[in-house]
């Protein structure tokens, strides 16, 4: 017959289990961050997106690595004022190649963010009716060529970080817009 465990042994067992879980979580986080606290993240795509009822405040900025050419491609869609007369005009680019030099400021900002796998969404209350839900997305993808897997990562963005990202994407637009293919 088996003896029941004492309370002290159960507490020790639970503490050891908690320590093991914490150590495992830290190791997984270190692998995502590149192996150590100064590891470099080699991202293959990024998206900063916002949609809502106000079309003027909605935007979509995206970068993705083209597997065939090996180039980073830039897509964007947003509204901006045109010069000093404050007219609003639509800015759009699709699949415009950008250089590493042009991406350097954006990459530097990404390297400093606390990227982690996204949390599972909270369950939706069926009784709650939302007329117009503003949706925001920020994610960075890291692709592993060996096993063809992709890890989606995200970071909680403070308003200053979001504004800085938007500013960097706008600067990228200004550099890349003249290289955009002309659509007739």
């Amino acid at each position: 017959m088996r003896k029941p465990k004492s309370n002290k042994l159960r507490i020790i067992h639970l503490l050891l289990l908690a320590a093991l879980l914490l150590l495992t979580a830290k190791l997984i986080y270190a692998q995502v961050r590149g192996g150590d606290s100064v590891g470099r993240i080699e991202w293959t795509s990024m998206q900063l997106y916002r949609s809502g009822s106000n079309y003027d405040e909605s935007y979509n900025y995206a970068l993705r690595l083209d597997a065939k050419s090996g180039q980073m491609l830039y897509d964007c869609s947003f509204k901006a004022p045109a010069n000093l007369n404050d007219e609003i005009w639509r800015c759009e680019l699709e699949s415009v190649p950008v250089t590493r030099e042009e991406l350097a400021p954006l990459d530097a900002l990404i390297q400093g963010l606390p990227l982690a796998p996204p949390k599972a969404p909270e369950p939706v209350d069926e009784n709650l009716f939302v007329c117009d839900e503003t949706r925001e997305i920020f994610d960075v993808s890291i692709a592993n060529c060996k096993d063809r897997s992709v890890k989606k990562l995200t970071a909680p963005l403070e308003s200053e970080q979001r504004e800085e990202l938007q500013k960097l994407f706008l600067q990228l637009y200004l550099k890349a817009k003249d290289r955009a293919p002309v659509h007739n």
Side-chain angles (χ1 to χ4, degrees), residues 61-120:
Y61 303 100
L63 288 162
R64 61 186 159 67
L65 184 64
D66 181 44
K68 290 181 182 177
S69 68
Q71 287 187 303
M72 195 63 78
L73 301 178
Y74 180 46
D75 300 321
C76 66
S77 176
F78 62 97
K79 281 203 165 190
N83 301 326
L84 300 175
N85 60 8
D86 289 331
E87 288 182 33
I88 301 295
W89 53 291
R90 192 80 189 150
C91 304
E92 292 184 353
L93 291 180
E94 187 176 328
S95 300
V96 177
V98 290
T99 65
R100 285 194 182 271
E101 293 78 26
E102 292 170 332
L103 291 174
L106 200 56
D107 182 59
L109 182 63
I110 295 303
Q111 298 301 325
L113 292 176
L115 295 172
K119 296 177 184 174

Side-chain angles (χ1 to χ4, degrees), residues 114-128:
L115 295 172
K119 296 177 184 174
E122 294 186 21
V124 176
D125 183 359
E126 297 294 329
N127 297 323
L128 181 64

Side-chain angles (χ1 to χ4, degrees), residues 22-57:
L22 183 61
L23 180 61
T24 303
K26 283 187 174 186
L27 287 173
I28 290 170
Y29 181 74
Q31 288 174 351
V32 167
R33 291 290 298 163
D36 60 359
S37 61
V38 294
R40 178 160 172 67
I41 298 169
E42 295 296 332
W43 51 274
T44 55
S45 71
M46 177 187 326
Q47 182 178 26
L48 181 64
Y49 170 85
R50 182 172 194 230
S51 72
S53 66
N54 189 343
Y55 189 62
D56 294 342
E57 294 178 11

Side-chain angles (χ1 to χ4, degrees), residues 108-181:
L109 182 63
I110 295 303
Q111 298 301 325
L113 292 176
L115 295 172
K119 296 177 184 174
E122 294 186 21
V124 176
D125 183 359
E126 297 294 329
N127 297 323
L128 181 64
F129 179 72
V130 179
C131 296
D132 175 37
E133 180 182 11
T134 297
R135 207 170 139 212
E136 295 184 332
I137 297 172
F138 168 68
D139 63 34
V140 174
S141 297
I142 299 173
N144 183 339
C145 295
K146 291 179 184 175
D147 64 4
R148 295 181 181 237
S149 66
V150 175
K151 290 181 187 174
K152 287 255 187 210
L153 304 175
T154 191
L157 295 177
E158 296 175 9
S159 61
E160 298 86 20
Q161 291 170 318
R162 184 172 299 282
E163 288 172 10
E164 182 66 17
L165 271 171
Q166 284 181 280
K167 182 178 116 182
L168 293 172
F169 274 117
L170 177 59
Q171 290 172 352
L172 191 57
Y173 169 81
L174 294 173
K175 291 176 184 176
K177 68 178 181 166
D178 295 333
R179 295 190 303 260

